[in-house]
């Protein structure tokens, strides 16, 4: 009683609203990503670029930004809706981008956090980290120093829910 069950009227009553969404691609450009051990004989970096390119090509209305990282992060593309620009910049990432060797997830997440996680508004944020997984900076530590650095690394993601943050690796 009192409910309009006519599907035509019900469809008109609902509107779909999309939230603003920032998607950041974090691409490992360390020397180990130059290994060509994929089935297609492409390098790990080329495979990472291909994955990111395919994902960006499917976006519709989300902001996209790209970082390449070694022991120091390099912003390759600021947040943009210009997917062609982002895809072109992605293809230009080179091994040891920025002239630095090694891999340091802490410095990467520190910079990304400063630039993108300071505002806890309703905007959705997604990090897509593509790496072969070895953090040479963390691997060089041991004991308490390693535990401290690991804890500091995880601190960047502890309030992910409040930041509306999703992380994919």
């Amino acid at each position: 009683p009192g409910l309009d069950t006519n599907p035509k009227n019900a469809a008109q009553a609902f509107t779909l609203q999309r939230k603003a969404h920032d998607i950041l691609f974090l691409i490992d450009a360390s020397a180990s990503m130059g290994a060509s051990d994929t089935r297609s004989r492409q390098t790990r970096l080329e495979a990472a670029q291909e994955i990111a390119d395919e994902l960006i090509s499917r976006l519709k209305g989300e902001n996209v930004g790209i970082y390449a990282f070694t022991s120091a992060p390099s912003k390759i593309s600021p947040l943009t809706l210009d997917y062609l620009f982002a895809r072109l910049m992605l293809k230009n990432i080179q091994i040891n981008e920025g002239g630095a060797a090694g891999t340091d997830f802490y410095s990467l997440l520190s910079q990304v956090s400063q630039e993108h996680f300071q505002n806890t508004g309703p905007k959705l944020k997604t990090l897509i980290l593509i790496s072969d997984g070895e953090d040479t900076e963390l691997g060089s530590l041991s004991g308490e120093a390693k535990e401290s650095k690991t804890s500091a690394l995880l601190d960047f993601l502890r309030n992910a829910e409040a930041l509306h943050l999703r992380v994919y690796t």
Side-chain angles (χ1 to χ4, degrees):
L3 292 177
D4 186 352
T5 57
N6 181 338
K8 185 176 180 180
N9 292 342
Q12 292 172 349
F14 292 101
T15 58
L16 181 63
Q17 214 174 16
R18 293 181 79 164
K19 286 187 176 181
H21 192 165
D22 292 342
I23 300 175
L24 296 170
F25 287 88
L26 313 175
I27 310 290
D28 187 344
S30 63
S32 63
M33 293 292 283
S36 56
D37 55 4
T38 62
R39 283 184 226 151
S40 64
R41 305 308 301 158
Q42 65 186 163
T43 66
R44 295 172 187 173
L45 178 58
E46 291 166 340
Q49 289 167 312
E50 188 176 297
I51 290 166
D53 184 67
E54 178 67 26
L55 291 171
I56 293 169
S57 75
R58 295 171 183 247
L59 296 178
K60 291 181 172 51
E62 297 84 2
N63 293 308
V64 64
I66 302 169
Y67 289 81
F69 68 96
T70 56
S71 60
S74 297
K75 186 186 288 187
I76 302 302
S77 170
L79 285 171
T80 183
L81 288 169
D82 186 346
Y83 301 143
L84 178 60
F85 171 76
R87 292 171 74 190
L88 289 171
M89 296 306 293
L90 174 69
K91 290 182 187 308
N92 289 325
I93 296 173
Q94 301 294 316
I95 294 295
N96 289 334
E97 184 73 37
T103 307
D104 185 357
F105 292 122
Y106 182 85
S107 65
L108 170 69
L109 291 178
S110 178
Q111 181 172 332
V112 169
S113 177
Q114 288 173 357
E115 293 180 13
H116 301 283
F117 300 166
Q118 300 306 311
N119 181 1
T120 58
K123 185 181 279 193
L124 299 173
K125 297 169 195 76
T126 300
L127 295 182
I128 300 175
L129 174 67
I130 305 175
S131 173
D132 60 2
E134 183 181 4
D135 184 325
T136 54
E137 178 69 25
L138 189 61
S140 69
L141 302 174
S142 63
E144 193 173 306
K146 187 171 191 166
E147 283 183 37
S148 175
K149 186 79 167 210
T150 300
S151 180
L153 184 61
L154 292 173
D155 281 344
F156 289 116
L157 307 175
R158 288 206 199 286
N159 63 344
E161 190 172 330
L163 293 170
H164 306 286
L165 174 67
R166 292 178 284 181
V167 179
Y168 299 96
T169 58

